[in-house]
């Protein structure tokens, strides 16, 4: 076991000892009682070729990082959400702040995200913001919560606390969130981003009102169509794979692990087995598979057995010669997302644990 993995597992063990239970979904380990064998679980699913692909991708991300913690130099590569996802990719490999092969890169990600937080708690940089800056805020809050769970830094805690408070106070009367930090409209995509951030913050010991989560659960359930997929907004609309995968993860993040909504949602997204052409046709393909892989990981059993090998093979074939993955948003985003998906069996990050 390498040093970074040993250090990360020690951090994970301390979280579990504090009461954050973990359940591994791989079929071979379903009958196993705690403590779970993380090394064995990862070895069964992350093959040498998989690890080589991950290593090349992380090295590419490391080379693309600027001194201020951002990535690349154009488009969304300097966006707070992209930096946060890259930080999550480093964390998912067993790095912790200041420790591990990419501990320095991770520290720079943290500094960049913290520098983007204003007095209200909102985390976004206008010059590099997406069309919906609450995406930036949600992914940044999720990242800071995962970091704080490992290294309780006072600056991280203060800005994380403000970020959580902003999410809570901007929930609209339907129970969801939209592009701007205002309690006006809501859509399923921005809502899942916020509820994952709240779940991660609660895991790390911050207070999140039960009422906020209950209203969010009601919103997500009302967003589900009869076919099991999810509409974009409560005003109606067809089911689509990316937002339907996000809808299931929203329920899982809110603590709903079974029921008709989960069953029907899994049946819907199970029909969308990953294909190579998905990534060349759909701007939201990587986003959708990021959430679908989480959903199938949580579901376990046959769902996971079918899904991970399929997305694994598609991603490995799509990797570029330099180690990156191309994406219509930006290569840094695509590479970070692919790394997180492929490293799901490591089960290192509390937010991905059931």
């Amino acid at each position: 076991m390498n040093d970074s993995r040993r250090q990360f597992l020690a951090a994970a063990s301390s979280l579990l000892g504090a009461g954050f239970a973990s359940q591994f979904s791989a079929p071979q380990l379903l009958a196993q009682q705690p403590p779970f064998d993380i090394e064995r679980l990862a070895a069964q699913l992350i093959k040498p070729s998989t690890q080589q692909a991950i290593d090349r991708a992380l090295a590419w991300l490391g080379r693309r990082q600027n001194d201020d913690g951002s990535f690349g130099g154009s488009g969304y590569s300097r966006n707070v959400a992209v930096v946060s996802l890259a930080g999550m990719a480093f964390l998912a490999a067993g790095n912790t702040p200041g420790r591990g092969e990419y501990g320095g890169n991770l520290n720079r990600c943290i500094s960049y995200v913290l520098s983007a937080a204003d007095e209200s708690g909102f985390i976004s940089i206008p010059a590099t913001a997406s069309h919906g800056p609450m995406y930036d805020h949600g992914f940044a809050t999720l990242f800071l919560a995962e970091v704080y769970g490992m290294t309780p830094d006072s600056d991280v805690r203060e800005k994380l606390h403000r970020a959580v408070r902003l999410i809570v106070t901007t929930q609209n009367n339907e129970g969801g969130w939209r592009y701007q930090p205002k309690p006006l409209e809501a859509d399923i995509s921005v809502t899942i981003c916020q509820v994952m951030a709240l779940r991660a913050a609660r895991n790390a010991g911050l207070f999140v009102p039960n009422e906020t989560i209950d209203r969010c659960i009601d919103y997500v359930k009302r967003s589900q169509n009869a076919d099991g997929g999810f509409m974009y907004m409560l005003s109606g609309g067809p089911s689509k794979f990316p937002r339907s995968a996000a809808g299931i993860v929203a329920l899982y993040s809110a603590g709903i692990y079974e029921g008709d909504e989960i069953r029907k949602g899994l049946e819907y997204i199970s029909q969308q087995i990953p294909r190579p052409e998905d990534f060349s046709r759909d701007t939201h393909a990587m986003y959708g598979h990021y959430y679908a892989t989480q959903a199938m990981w949580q579901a376990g059993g046959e769902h996971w057995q079918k899904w991970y090998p399929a997305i694994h093979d598609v991603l490995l074939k799509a990797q570029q010669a330099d180690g990156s993955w191309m994406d219509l948003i930006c290569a840094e985003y695509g590479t970070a997302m692919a790394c997180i998906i492929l490293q799901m069996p490591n089960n290192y990050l509390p937010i991905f644990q059931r």
Side-chain angles (χ1 to χ4, degrees):
M1 187 188 301
N2 62 41
D3 287 343
S4 63
R5 175 166 291 192
R6 183 179 294 107
Q7 291 159 355
F8 200 102
L9 292 178
S13 296
S14 67
L15 283 177
L16 293 174
F20 301 121
S22 169
Q23 176 169 325
F24 293 82
S25 302
Q28 300 91 335
L29 297 182
L30 283 175
Q32 186 178 340
Q33 298 300 312
F36 298 104
D37 190 342
I38 296 176
E39 292 290 310
R40 180 181 161 208
L41 175 65
Q44 289 171 342
L45 297 172
I46 299 182
K47 303 171 184 177
S49 59
T50 317
Q51 191 59 54
Q52 290 171 9
I54 294 167
D55 291 344
R56 291 170 56 219
L58 293 175
W60 183 86
L61 278 175
R63 293 193 301 270
R64 294 289 292 171
Q65 191 174 34
N66 300 314
D67 290 342
D68 66 356
S70 64
F71 290 82
S74 61
Y76 285 119
S77 61
R78 298 176 63 84
N79 176 269
V80 168
V82 172
V83 173
S84 298
L85 287 165
M88 294 278 286
F90 291 135
L91 287 172
N95 299 280
T96 56
R99 296 185 178 182
E101 184 175 1
Y102 296 101
N105 299 88
L106 187 52
N107 277 350
R108 287 190 287 277
C109 289
I110 296 168
S111 295
Y112 188 79
V113 172
L114 291 175
S115 71
D118 66 22
E119 288 300 313
S120 74
F122 192 44
I123 308 175
S124 183
I125 298 176
T128 65
S130 65
H131 68 284
M134 276 301 281
Y135 281 118
D136 306 354
H137 181 81
F139 281 115
T141 304
L142 167 61
F143 172 56
L144 290 182
E146 296 299 282
V147 167
Y148 181 70
M150 301 168 202
T151 55
D153 178 88
S154 59
D155 192 27
V156 172
R157 180 180 175 82
E158 177 58 29
K159 293 184 177 179
L160 177 59
H161 171 74
R162 292 180 185 177
V164 168
R165 183 178 60 194
L166 183 138
I167 295 174
V168 171
T169 58
T170 57
Q171 185 179 34
N172 86 335
N173 59 10
E174 295 175 329
W177 292 265
R178 184 71 164 145
Y179 292 154
Q180 300 295 330
K182 300 175 182 179
L184 301 175
E185 297 179 306
D187 70 63
I188 193 71
S189 182
V190 176
T191 295
I192 169 55
C193 203
Q194 310 314 310
V195 75
M196 278 192 75
L198 293 178
R199 172 63 180 266
R202 180 176 280 185
N203 284 351
L206 277 76
F207 172 72
V208 176
N210 288 335
E211 179 186 3
T212 302
I213 302 302
D214 291 342
R215 293 174 60 211
C216 177
I217 291 171
D218 179 66
Y219 172 80
V220 174
K221 287 184 175 181
R222 288 187 291 131
S223 299
Q224 190 170 37
N225 286 320
D227 63 2
F230 288 76
M231 64 186 76
Y232 184 54
M233 302 177 78
L234 290 182
S235 54
S239 299
K240 293 289 182 68
F241 164 69
R243 60 175 170 257
S244 298
I248 294 301
V249 175
L251 291 175
Y252 279 137
S253 297
I256 307 299
Y257 296 108
E258 55 186 29
D260 286 344
E261 293 86 2
I262 296 290
R263 177 184 57 78
K264 289 167 60 180
L266 289 173
E267 288 175 356
Y268 178 87
I269 62 175
S270 292
Q271 300 170 24
Q272 316 291 325
I273 293 296
R275 302 170 301 172
E277 56 265 32
D278 294 345
F279 294 89
S280 60
R281 296 177 180 175
D282 187 353
T283 306
H284 306 297
M286 193 68 81
Y287 169 93
H289 286 292
Y290 164 79
Y291 284 119
T293 303
Q294 291 180 53
M296 296 307 187
W297 170 249
Q298 292 286 340
E302 185 177 349
H303 290 294
W304 177 248
Q305 290 182 61
K306 289 182 177 180
W307 195 270
Y308 185 78
I311 188 61
H312 170 280
D313 292 351
V314 166
L315 287 177
L316 261 61
K317 288 178 181 177
Q319 190 174 29
Q320 302 296 299
D322 62 3
S324 68
W325 275 271
M326 298 303 295
D327 190 86
L328 295 175
I329 293 177
C330 68
E332 290 82 3
Y333 168 86
T335 303
M337 283 292 212
C339 283
I340 294 170
I341 291 169
L342 290 173
Q343 295 180 106
M344 196 71 63
N346 281 340
N347 206 47
Y348 282 165
L349 297 179
I351 191 58
F352 298 141
Q353 297 169 2
R354 183 168 175 176

